Amino acid sequence: MNTRAAVVQGVGGCVPPRSVDNNELSSRLDTTDEWIRERLGIARRHVADGISTVDLAVEAGARALEMAGGGFGALDVVLLATTTPDRLCPASAPEVASRLGYTGIAAFDVNAVCAGFVHALATGNALIRGHMADRVLVIGADVFTTLVDPGDRLTASIFGDGAGALVLRAGSPDEPGAVRAFDLGSDGSAVAAVEVPGGGARDRLGMPLANQRPYLVMDGPVVFQRAVREMTASSKRVLDKAGWDVGSVRRFVPHQANIRIIHGVAGKLGIDAERVVANIEDVGNTVAASIPLALADAHDTGLLAAGDRVLMTSIGAGLAWGSAVLTWPELHGKARL
């Protein structure tokens, strides 16, 4: 039996300084503050004017590493979950690692869109449990507003930019902070439900660059139905793997897709509102940053305490979904400044 586990030792998060509230959107789109709040649960989102995915990832990663403390030691791996790398090629993780002061270590991107952070966390967990790494930095960061049609009232209202990070170290399964179990899945037959059609090799092979389709397209009803269904089912499976009853979960941290999806999944799981961690009102849907940024905010506001059982679940384009459970460690310091 493997007695080695990945243990959380630090959390960090950041958002760009520019905040766009619903009234600013309403002034240029056919929408209102009331419509956005009621349907999406969002009051404002942050937009990365002149700030890149790497910039945000470095800031969130640095805060998580600072919380981990000077005795943490050298990193072995940097994992960056993102759909908006600074460049199509190369991956952004090596630059993040370099700017954090780590060269010569493994660093690579993971793309599962809104489920990306859980997939990256599972990868870091596997590297530690498999004795390929002792210390891993897992970051979720996106400037997804760059992929959103500024004239589309729905997607322009939903998405914001940000980054969040967790530091993992090798430890034992019975200590606070230990990651207990994962459930990952996908359904590629639903690829058209939410996608950015242009910019990839398929378009480049047969379409002039000027005619490529650069913005997100989304089938809202399909995404809503599949999100509630898959996140609920995945959450149940990961709880079964961990041997946890849903009643023992202290904090439920879902992907911040929209408030109706969050409430829909929580309701089907039988999790009351007091146990749900939601920061969507202030940051919107930040894609791969969604869950780690919610963890950072929950830490800073005192919603997370050492020993709390935490359930995380997510779904993104692909479709790809993923859930994880862990016990929260005792952490000191602020995750966001």
Side-chain angles (χ1 to χ4, degrees):
M1 181 178 179
N2 194 336
T3 59
R4 186 173 164 104
V7 177
V8 174
Q9 193 170 352
V11 60
C14 71
V15 293
R18 185 188 168 204
S19 177
V20 177
D21 64 20
N22 293 342
N23 291 326
E24 182 175 338
L25 287 182
S26 300
S27 68
R28 62 180 177 83
L29 297 174
D30 180 22
T31 189
T32 64
D33 174 65
E34 292 76 17
W35 186 90
I36 297 171
R37 286 178 183 268
E38 289 177 6
R39 291 185 62 85
L40 307 175
I42 300 169
R44 63 198 63 83
R45 72 287 299 145
H46 293 259
V47 177
D49 287 346
I51 299 172
S52 75
T53 295
V54 168
D55 295 333
L56 292 172
V58 168
E59 183 67 22
R63 292 180 185 179
L65 288 166
E66 182 179 3
M67 187 180 293
F72 174 72
L75 278 176
D76 299 309
V77 182
V78 171
L79 303 175
L80 175 63
T82 188
T83 314
T84 57
D86 280 18
R87 303 166 182 82
L88 193 59
C89 171
S92 290
E95 183 178 358
V96 173
S98 176
R99 285 178 54 180
L100 287 170
Y102 298 96
T103 56
I105 68 171
F108 55 94
D109 293 359
V110 175
N111 184 353
V113 198
C114 297
F117 180 78
V118 174
H119 284 246
L121 188 65
T123 303
N125 174 73
L127 290 170
I128 288 174
R129 284 176 56 84
H131 294 266
M132 294 185 67
D134 292 322
R135 294 164 294 272
V136 179
L137 175 62
V138 184
I139 307 170
D142 270 304
V143 289
F144 206 78
T145 58
T146 60
L147 302 181
V148 169
D149 182 349
D152 180 355
R153 73 167 184 166
L154 177 59
T155 56
S157 300
I158 292 173
F159 293 98
D161 302 326
L166 288 182
V167 174
L168 303 177
R169 62 164 173 82
S172 62
D174 58 349
E175 65 178 297
V179 182
R180 294 292 299 270
F182 289 90
D183 177 77
L184 307 176
S186 70
D187 179 8
S189 70
V191 64
V194 53
E195 63 171 336
V196 179
R202 185 186 297 272
D203 263 11
R204 287 172 176 264
L205 285 171
M207 185 181 294
L209 287 175
N211 295 336
Q212 289 184 20
R213 299 159 290 171
Y215 294 132
L216 176 76
V217 291
M218 182 170 63
D219 186 332
V222 170
V223 171
F224 180 87
Q225 293 167 7
R226 291 299 299 270
V228 173
R229 186 173 90 196
E230 305 301 351
M231 290 168 70
T232 301
S234 180
S235 294
K236 290 179 178 178
R237 288 192 296 267
V238 79
L239 287 171
D240 286 343
K241 291 178 182 179
W244 289 1
D245 182 88
V246 69
S248 71
V249 173
R250 176 62 178 163
R251 296 297 176 200
F252 176 51
V253 187
H255 165 52
Q256 309 289 297
N258 72 50
I259 200 65
R260 292 184 302 139
I261 289 174
I262 291 171
H263 288 164
V265 177
K268 287 186 175 294
L269 291 172
I271 295 175
D272 54 79
E274 288 74 20
R275 291 188 284 160
V276 177
V277 172
N279 65 347
I280 190 171
E281 180 178 5
D282 294 319
V283 299
N285 180 341
T286 55
V287 193
S290 173
I291 285 178
L293 191 54
L295 290 171
D297 287 346
H299 165 78
D300 283 354
T301 56
L303 285 177
L304 287 170
D308 282 353
R309 288 185 170 185
V310 178
L311 166 63
M312 302 171 284
T313 189
S314 59
I315 190 169
L319 295 172
W321 55 83
S323 300
V325 291
L326 57 81
T327 55
W328 195 249
E330 183 174 355
L331 298 175
H332 302 283
K334 300 288 282 187
R336 288 176 60 187
L337 298 179

